[in-house]
Amino acid sequence: MVTRFPDIPQLSGFNAPLRVEADIYDLEVSQGEIPPQLDGTYYRIVCDRQFPSFVQGDIPFNADGMATSFRFKAGHVDYKSRYVRTPRFNAERAARRALFGAYRNPFTDDPSVTGMVRGVANTNLYWHAGKLLALKEDSPPIRIDPDTLETIGEYTYDGALTGQTFTAHPKLDPRTGEMVCFGFAAKGETTPDIVYYEMDRDGRVIHETWFQAPYPSMVHDFAVTQNFVVFPVIPLTSDMERLKTGQPHFGWDPDKDVFLGVLPRKGTGRQVRWYRGSNRFASHIMGAYDDGRYLHIDTPVAQSNYFPWFPDLSGAPYDPERAKGHLSRWTIDTAADPGAGGHGTDGGDDFTETRLTDCSGEFPRMDDRYETLPYHWGVLALNHVPDDERPGMGFRWLGAVDLDRRRTTTRWAGPDSCFYEPLFVPARPDAAEGEGYVMAIVGRYAEMRSDLLILDAQRLDAPPVATVKLPIRLPYGLHGNWLDASELAQRAD
């Protein structure tokens, strides 16, 4: 059998699999200068298929994970990329073909891999307790060497992870150094079970509890404050019978309500309270905080399903206008009883929603030093800016949001260009909130290559501080994080 990728839009042109593990020493800086105080590494994961799928129309989320790094030092930057050697990757490499079928559907796999962990480690690269972890929400973490990007192996915290899954979006408490994390579908695909963990600053599991969501769904991200953890259950539902018939893992149910599960930090499953709201879509959290009573959660909210490859269960066609997410704030009064808002009788919700910007977008990020705490600054990728119809594709702009002033400063990617998730890097350890740099990969579609922009976070619309020019295109990517050199020096053995 020869290796041949189908000639379809999602696998051709700029989106074609790159399949290259690269080392590029001292990348070209085509404009400006890299601030010499930037001493650290920007880790980012991309989706890059090793072999063509044998499932027609398989989705980007099912591609192999490629770990990438940009190492900054003394005004220079080096690039590196390596495939994450998951059990799945190794099995397919040995066979020289795809063995695993549709996204999160083990019923479509080759019989030779029955029972094998299906994760592709393609969603996030996260650092805690001296370890770099490649994450995918359907499987355990994979530990990566932070210098070489070589795969060390599956990491289960010395066997302390009791669930089958682990989130791609852990949260770090900056006051304690604890990592707060969870797994959904934790007892297997389509199960409603959620497991919640907290790890101390040394990476030891110090808390675990289990509970069930109102229905099985994608719980991609969650919110963590000083006193609470919030699990958003949105109606992107999963169902075992649908899987068995070969249908997509997730389907949008326009008749189901949203539930926000509120749990005290280090609480037990019996303490979860479910606050109910009308049908809507949300995924990534920009930030969250509480004052002991009121919980505030900031997230892009859309009227309907954001993902075009997950069908509407009512049969309605995908609607890109209703899929646009506007950064909004959900506020929960934790002193009120869930259901007191009258949901299901007068149509009231158990939490309020306030729109924070007229622009629409996704991939929100904050100054991570303020995770779990009150904050006022954030940045996200935008796919619509009112009164700005400059051409492009995908996320044509970035937006820096001042939540105190309710002001959004935008930056256009340029013609035939698209931004990916932005990232904030502080100018100094003691810099004020939002004082520093926004880093963002830009796909230059006409040139079939990519740039890394370094922008002044407080002057997003000013000329870049520096433009780092790559001679290659970087595949579709999801999430990443900055690691200061002082943190890297504390790596674990």
Side-chain angles (χ1 to χ4, degrees), residues 361-381:
E362 248 295 346
F363 291 114
R365 296 299 297 258
M366 66 183 307
D367 182 334
D368 290 336
R369 298 172 299 165
Y370 290 80
E371 189 77 73
T372 77
L373 303 171
Y375 77 107
H376 77 273
W377 183 91
V379 63
L380 70 166

Side-chain angles (χ1 to χ4, degrees), residues 154-472:
E154 189 175 85
Y155 187 69
T156 62
Y157 292 83
D158 297 323
L161 294 185
T162 57
Q164 296 182 26
T165 60
F166 191 84
T167 180
H169 287 286
K171 309 294 183 186
L172 182 70
D173 186 328
R175 291 183 172 175
T176 65
E178 294 170 338
M179 186 174 78
V180 186
C181 44
F182 74 104
F184 77 92
K187 290 187 178 180
E189 296 292 18
T190 78
T191 62
D193 302 277
I194 295 175
V195 58
Y196 156 55
Y197 307 101
E198 294 207 20
M199 283 73 162
D200 67 14
R201 64 171 60 248
D202 297 317
R204 293 185 292 259
V205 177
I206 57 174
H207 182 75
E208 175 188 334
T209 195
W210 288 73
F211 58 94
Q212 288 195 334
Y215 53 83
S217 77
M218 178 187 286
V219 189
H220 180 64
D221 200 356
F222 74 139
V224 181
T225 70
Q226 283 294 296
N227 295 298
F228 299 99
V229 185
V230 184
F231 300 89
V233 174
I234 64 165
L236 201 54
T237 65
S238 59
D239 178 83
M240 183 60 72
E241 294 308 311
R242 292 206 309 261
L243 276 190
K244 289 178 178 179
T245 59
Q247 297 180 64
H249 183 101
F250 291 109
W252 178 256
D253 191 335
D255 297 322
K256 283 194 181 296
D257 289 331
V258 167
F259 289 86
L260 305 182
V262 177
L263 177 65
R265 286 279 297 271
K266 298 182 177 64
T268 68
R270 293 187 300 273
Q271 294 175 281
V272 178
R273 306 172 77 196
W274 293 103
Y275 293 82
R276 190 171 182 170
S278 54
N279 183 272
R280 70 197 84 174
F281 177 91
S283 179
H284 293 112
I285 308 297
M286 175 177 279
Y289 63 94
D290 74 271
D291 62 7
R293 174 177 174 176
Y294 290 98
L295 256 168
H296 304 287
I297 305 158
D298 298 340
T299 177
V301 179
Q303 294 175 279
S304 188
N305 174 30
Y306 175 79
F307 301 110
W309 44 75
F310 295 137
D312 190 306
L313 299 181
S314 72
Y318 179 74
D319 187 339
E321 287 302 311
R322 287 174 55 82
K324 289 179 178 177
H326 294 85
L327 186 65
S328 303
R329 174 164 294 175
W330 289 338
T331 298
I332 302 170
D333 181 356
T334 62
D337 292 329
H343 190 87
T345 54
D346 63 4
D349 292 339
D350 292 338
F351 56 92
T352 64
E353 179 177 304
T354 305
R355 183 176 290 189
L356 302 177
T357 176
D358 289 334
C359 303
S360 67
E362 248 295 346
F363 291 114
R365 296 299 297 258
M366 66 183 307
D367 182 334
D368 290 336
R369 298 172 299 165
Y370 290 80
E371 189 77 73
T372 77
L373 303 171
Y375 77 107
H376 77 273
W377 183 91
V379 63
L380 70 166
L382 301 174
N383 52 20
H384 176 71
V385 173
D387 303 319
D388 189 343
E389 297 301 327
R390 282 179 287 184
M393 54 194 70
F395 293 111
R396 288 179 281 170
W397 303 268
L398 293 182
V401 182
D402 183 327
L403 295 172
D404 288 345
R405 296 187 177 96
R406 296 290 175 92
R407 184 176 65 191
T408 303
T409 303
T410 63
R411 177 181 195 85
W412 182 48
D416 298 315
S417 298
C418 174
F419 282 114
Y420 299 113
E421 179 193 54
L423 174 78
F424 174 76
V425 180
R428 312 172 300 282
D430 62 348
E433 182 187 358
E435 179 187 353
Y437 308 100
V438 169
M439 295 187 183
I441 299 292
V442 185
R444 304 296 187 193
Y445 283 61
E447 302 174 44
M448 291 293 286
R449 61 168 198 84
S450 301
D451 283 332
L452 171 60
L453 297 189
I454 303 172
L455 307 168
D456 184 335
Q458 294 299 311
R459 300 172 61 240
L460 201 71
D461 53 352
V465 175
T467 301
V468 180
K469 182 178 180 180
L470 283 93
I472 60 175

Side-chain angles (χ1 to χ4, degrees), residues 127-140:
W127 176 270
H128 184 250
K131 298 179 177 68
L132 182 65
L133 303 176
L135 303 175
K136 173 74 172 177
E137 63 193 26
D138 63 354
S139 49

Side-chain angles (χ1 to χ4, degrees), residues 18-242:
L18 190 61
R19 308 176 78 212
V20 171
E21 296 178 303
D23 292 88
I24 307 176
Y25 186 76
D26 211 355
L27 288 169
E28 178 184 358
V29 179
S30 61
Q31 172 269 327
E33 294 185 358
I34 296 172
Q37 67 268 31
L38 284 176
D39 187 2
T41 305
Y42 173 19
Y43 293 103
R44 182 172 173 269
I45 200 85
V46 300
C47 303
D48 197 359
R49 290 184 183 274
Q50 177 185 199
F51 294 108
S53 174
F54 54 80
V55 175
Q56 186 175 3
D58 201 13
I59 69 174
F61 291 169
N62 208 25
D64 297 286
M66 177 82 80
T68 69
S69 67
F70 294 86
R71 176 68 174 100
F72 288 78
K73 189 173 181 62
H76 297 267
V77 58
D78 303 328
Y79 172 81
K80 186 184 294 291
S81 63
R82 295 289 186 275
Y83 272 117
V84 184
R85 262 65 175 177
T86 62
R88 169 174 171 160
F89 178 95
N90 290 333
E92 294 188 331
R93 173 63 61 94
R96 287 186 176 265
R97 65 182 180 91
L99 299 172
F100 294 81
Y103 171 74
R104 297 189 72 165
N105 190 340
F107 299 106
T108 61
D109 292 346
D110 186 284
S112 66
V113 295
T114 299
M116 186 176 290
V117 175
R118 305 180 82 253
V120 287
N122 69 4
T123 310
N124 204 354
L125 287 174
Y126 197 85
W127 176 270
H128 184 250
K131 298 179 177 68
L132 182 65
L133 303 176
L135 303 175
K136 173 74 172 177
E137 63 193 26
D138 63 354
S139 49
I142 301 289
R143 189 176 170 192
I144 303 295
D145 185 290
D147 294 321
T148 66
L149 299 185
E150 299 298 335
T151 299
I152 297 172
E154 189 175 85
Y155 187 69
T156 62
Y157 292 83
D158 297 323
L161 294 185
T162 57
Q164 296 182 26
T165 60
F166 191 84
T167 180
H169 287 286
K171 309 294 183 186
L172 182 70
D173 186 328
R175 291 183 172 175
T176 65
E178 294 170 338
M179 186 174 78
V180 186
C181 44
F182 74 104
F184 77 92
K187 290 187 178 180
E189 296 292 18
T190 78
T191 62
D193 302 277
I194 295 175
V195 58
Y196 156 55
Y197 307 101
E198 294 207 20
M199 283 73 162
D200 67 14
R201 64 171 60 248
D202 297 317
R204 293 185 292 259
V205 177
I206 57 174
H207 182 75
E208 175 188 334
T209 195
W210 288 73
F211 58 94
Q212 288 195 334
Y215 53 83
S217 77
M218 178 187 286
V219 189
H220 180 64
D221 200 356
F222 74 139
V224 181
T225 70
Q226 283 294 296
N227 295 298
F228 299 99
V229 185
V230 184
F231 300 89
V233 174
I234 64 165
L236 201 54
T237 65
S238 59
D239 178 83
M240 183 60 72
E241 294 308 311
R242 292 206 309 261

